[in-house]
Amino acid sequence: MRARTFAWFIAPSVVMMLVFIAFPLVSVFWQSFTLTQPVTQAVQVETCTPGFLGQTCVTETKIQPVIGEDGRVLTETSFVGWQNYANVAEPARAWAAITSLDFAGLMQIDFWRALRFTLSFTFITLPLVLGVGLALALAVNSVTRSLRGPVIFVTLLPFIITPVIGALAIRWLFVGDGILTRAMEAYTGTDISMFAQGWTIEILMMFYRVWHVAPFAFVIFYAGLQSVNQDAVEAALIDGATRVQRIRYIIVPHLMPLIVFVALIHLMDAYRVFEEVIGFRSEAYVISLQYLTYDFLTPDGTGTRAVNRASASSMLTMIGIVILLIPLLRHTWRQHRGSR
Amino acid sequence: MATIRALQQPGWLKLTTGGLLGLWLLIAAFPILWIAVMSVKVPLDAFAASPWDVIAGPQTLAAGKGITWADVLLTLILLGGTWVVATGPLPRLVRRASPQGWTGLGWLVGAGLLGAAFWFAATAALPALSGAINRTLGLEPLFGFTWEHYRAVWVENAFWRNFVNSLQVTLGVTAISLTCGTLAGYALARSGAWIAFAILIVALIFRALPHSVLVTGYLPVFINSAEILRPLLGDSAPTLYGQPLAVIAVLVAINQPFTIWMLRSFFQSIPAELDEAARVDGCTHFQAFRHVIMPVMWPGIITTGLFSFLLGYNDFLVTSLLLDQSNMTMVPAISGYFNRETTTTDQVEAVAAAVSITAPLFLLVMIFQRQIVSGLTAGAVKG
């Protein structure tokens, strides 16, 4: 394919990505070092109250936003260096907490709280998703053919359901008078409320995520299982390999590229955990990095959005995912070099 | 294929596998089924202490809202009949009746007709028929059952408007994603240049970006876009904030990395000899792509399209930040329910809205299940 044709074919997609992904990245980078705020001016205001013999007048200086010619508040943008980052991550406070080994103190700062949850969420769900997905694939593969269709249908349901709705569905089972909380209360005989402390919410969030993503891992692994070399399995059988050994030494190595693929996708998706916070309404106890940015971006009481602080937290979030992905990207790169 | 006896599972293992699989199916389906059951009961039943009360709905029954076994039977017959027609005679009819090259349109007409017939049967014919049967046989209602929450959500709260917005955004995302994605995926699959690989790696990194990072980049630009674009477009410069079209563009871009990776691996599984043959016969690259490659690409297109559909339909973050109240899609609109979820009626209405959002997806899996599995088998997993 000549370069010209290639360029024409690729153009719509690349332009799309440049305008809507690369450009915002640059703009976020710029915003994270600047601060946009209304221009203010000090105005001398004299307020007089009518009195008995004369007026009492008070003169005071008020800070007011300047209104431009078009009737809108003028804003100015100034370069502030690392100020936004410092506002988000509060390094001084965080450092003080770390040096005095005050974990609870560190968790007082939203950014570190979000980072802690996001990372633990990512790394706890990763092996669970891979494990459940693999177990499901092996189980379905051993079921009679006629049953596989319905089983796959039901298995796919949690995967396609809207994340916010899925989280809500599980929340409604466990919320105050939800059916499963009632069941647990009847079983243990104690009062249980699943949404009154952080760790129970975290468990529910992780449960939800595994429930939601394991079917994806299942479909991929199940597809991979169809191409396992039967001769190798039979040869292993003749050599006296047990069932576990056959899985360990033949099936898992065969699926390895797929396991890496699912792990990669899951790492990316779990790191941007967000819908769970909305669905479980956990913002008072548990927040994630992406929720932190979302929170900065939603208009506050006065209708202003903290765009600059959101940019700083976005940049920090992005640095995190790049660090997580470096090993996997190097792996892909080496494979590509090797395959040529 | 003969299975070797030693490879078959022993009895105890079969039992364990079956048991665990059954447990998984229960866990997978239960939350969804349960909210569906809750949504058709009055609040007292929906949040009752005993699960049997939630299923049977005594309070709903006491309020005079229930269905008899005749209703259940007729509904099952209607659903089963629709399924049989949709899988058997309909495809045959579509294939026979639609003119050459217009099969897609034929499918649309066929599905539309079937949908209309189903709608008529479900809303007019079925209630009349079951009412007559119930009267003549003097049947008493068995289960508590009510559509009132759905009516409240769809009619009184005008949820249909959000549905239309969702449809608009989702279809736009799917169509544009696939158009850009197939072109790029084809070129990437057929080119061995280093730049093709570089684009793929950059796309992979883009795939990893949290969406909030991108939205932070758009938000100030979109809100002030009228001023920024004025020098270029004059006074007709639009404010992009709140425009469904802008959201579609954003979601397409977010989706593009995954789409091109997936379609590229599908194109790679189609032998390059095919387009070489077409080129020898005098086709340009684009003609080969359009007339030779695309017709054999349908499984890949459907699978990738499904993922685009899910992304557009399920999105919360982008739509909730970049659209305003007047053209909200369904998923962010539901957060309006749980913000004022003060009474139990509100809660059950939120449940009904949630079920309404899930229903189209349910249908989608039913129709495309085979494509999802075989599509992933054929393509994506090789990437």
Side-chain angles (χ1 to χ4, degrees), chain B residues 323-337:
Chain B
L323 288 175
D324 47 27
Q325 275 307 319
S326 62
N327 46 25
M328 245 345 155
T329 53
M330 287 198 284
V331 179
I334 202 175
S335 72
Y337 284 91

Side-chain angles (χ1 to χ4, degrees), chain A residues 261-297:
Chain A
F261 168 73
V262 172
L264 183 74
I265 295 278
H266 181 72
L267 214 61
M268 293 174 179
D269 288 346
Y271 184 75
R272 49 176 179 229
V273 46
F274 168 72
E275 271 98 348
E276 281 88 341
V277 180
I278 299 288
F280 286 109
R281 273 195 274 164
S282 69
E283 54 270 20
Y285 301 100
V286 182
I287 58 170
S288 69
L289 283 174
Q290 202 170 203
Y291 181 82
L292 192 68
T293 310
Y294 173 83
D295 199 32
F296 285 136
L297 282 181

